[in-house]
Amino acid sequence: MCCPSATLTVWTSAWLSGAAAPDDVLDALLAWGDAHEVVAADAESAVGLDLPLEGDFPGTPVQLLASLRANGAGPAQLVLPVPGDVRGLGGGGPFTEAALRAGEAMLLPEAGFGLVPQPIAEGLVRWQVYKVDSSATPEYVGIADAEHGLTDAIRDSAGALQALDVAKDRPGVRAELSAFLRARPRPEWPAGMPGRALRVLQRAEEIGAILAVAETDEPGGAVSASAALLRADALRPLGNAVRIARYAAVNEAVRLFSDQAERPQ
């Protein structure tokens, strides 16, 4: 559900806070690929986290976790950038460019590193580690605000499509949605994952499936180029709301795991 960076963000944070074992992190990543490797995209990351540079024999997620613990990495944060919204990336540079291409990344604000996943072969994911501006901190989005925003976007998009008369019944659409959701990776989440975060992620996943199916149905009842553009404009806020809901839910889970780790035992 969501993306590889969300899985690594939640599980790494749970592990750093003592709520998960290293093997749990590795098992969760298997939902996104049978093998994962880690390389440093720049010399500073290679030295700082004792990782091989890109082009050398790659490291493993186990090496990454050990380096993060040794360097006191602190909680991870998910970023889901798109053109025009690069919150948390701290400006331009190679990390921002790579994260925008992927549409996702894991940020370690306290340590000053960012990781971007890249599928490079069937079943193989390469995580590239970048040194980033340590002042880069993702903007906080409350999960309640994100959940309400998703509800509002659903209502507004439905109303706009109805007004434009470009929404249409599509035979078999329920079967398509079910098939899409079944085909999506379903990684496990750590024990103690907050229920509200899970609920928001599930709802965002369902709406994301609807958007994905809608994209295969272009122009979706629009009978002209201008109507097709209006349809796309009506759906765009819903796509943004889904992205922000995922961002807020994952980062809320990270916050709660970190808070639990800081409480006296």
Side-chain angles (χ1 to χ4, degrees):
M1 188 187 298
C2 197
C3 61
S5 295
T7 297
L8 187 62
T9 295
V10 172
W11 278 100
T12 297
S13 298
W15 174 69
L16 289 171
S17 66
D23 284 349
D24 296 329
V25 184
L26 304 181
D27 289 346
L29 287 175
L30 291 176
W32 302 103
D34 295 330
H36 293 255
E37 60 185 37
V38 183
V39 296
D42 52 72
E44 198 169 356
S45 297
V47 173
L49 292 178
D50 192 23
L51 294 171
L53 271 169
E54 188 170 10
D56 295 336
F57 192 80
T60 67
V62 172
Q63 289 175 260
L64 172 68
L65 292 176
S67 295
L68 295 181
R69 173 64 58 81
N71 283 271
Q77 296 285 290
L78 175 67
V79 288
L80 298 171
V82 294
D85 183 359
V86 293
R87 69 185 78 190
L89 295 184
F95 174 62
T96 296
E97 294 170 5
L100 275 169
R101 284 194 300 271
E104 60 175 286
M106 182 179 88
L107 185 67
L108 296 156
E110 294 181 18
F113 294 102
L115 288 85
V116 179
Q118 178 187 11
I120 61 171
E122 182 69 27
L124 176 60
V125 178
R126 174 178 295 162
W127 293 87
Q128 295 176 299
V129 185
Y130 295 82
K131 183 63 181 171
V132 299
D133 182 357
S134 59
S135 66
T137 302
E139 176 187 336
Y140 175 75
V141 177
I143 191 168
D145 291 339
E147 189 171 20
H148 293 153
L150 188 57
T151 299
D152 291 345
I154 292 168
R155 182 192 62 238
D156 293 346
S157 293
L161 290 173
Q162 186 175 13
L164 291 168
D165 196 26
V166 295
K168 67 174 183 178
D169 292 330
R170 178 172 170 174
V173 69
R174 289 186 182 276
E176 286 185 63
L177 289 171
S178 296
F180 180 89
L181 289 169
R182 284 196 304 271
R184 289 277 290 159
R186 299 188 67 83
E188 297 292 328
W189 297 110
M193 184 79 169
R196 189 171 196 178
L198 287 173
R199 184 176 72 245
V200 171
L201 283 170
Q202 181 62 40
R203 193 174 189 204
E205 192 72 5
E206 292 166 354
I207 301 304
I210 293 171
L211 289 171
V213 170
E215 287 175 359
T216 69
D217 188 36
E218 294 289 352
V223 295
S224 67
S226 60
L229 287 174
L230 289 171
R231 176 181 186 269
D233 288 342
L235 290 176
R236 190 172 296 111
L238 187 55
N240 286 334
V242 166
R243 182 172 56 86
I244 292 170
R246 288 168 168 162
Y247 169 92
V250 166
N251 291 329
E252 174 69 5
V254 168
R255 185 186 69 81
L256 291 176
F257 280 124
S258 300
D259 287 349
Q260 290 169 8
E262 293 171 1
R263 291 174 192 161
Q265 300 299 316

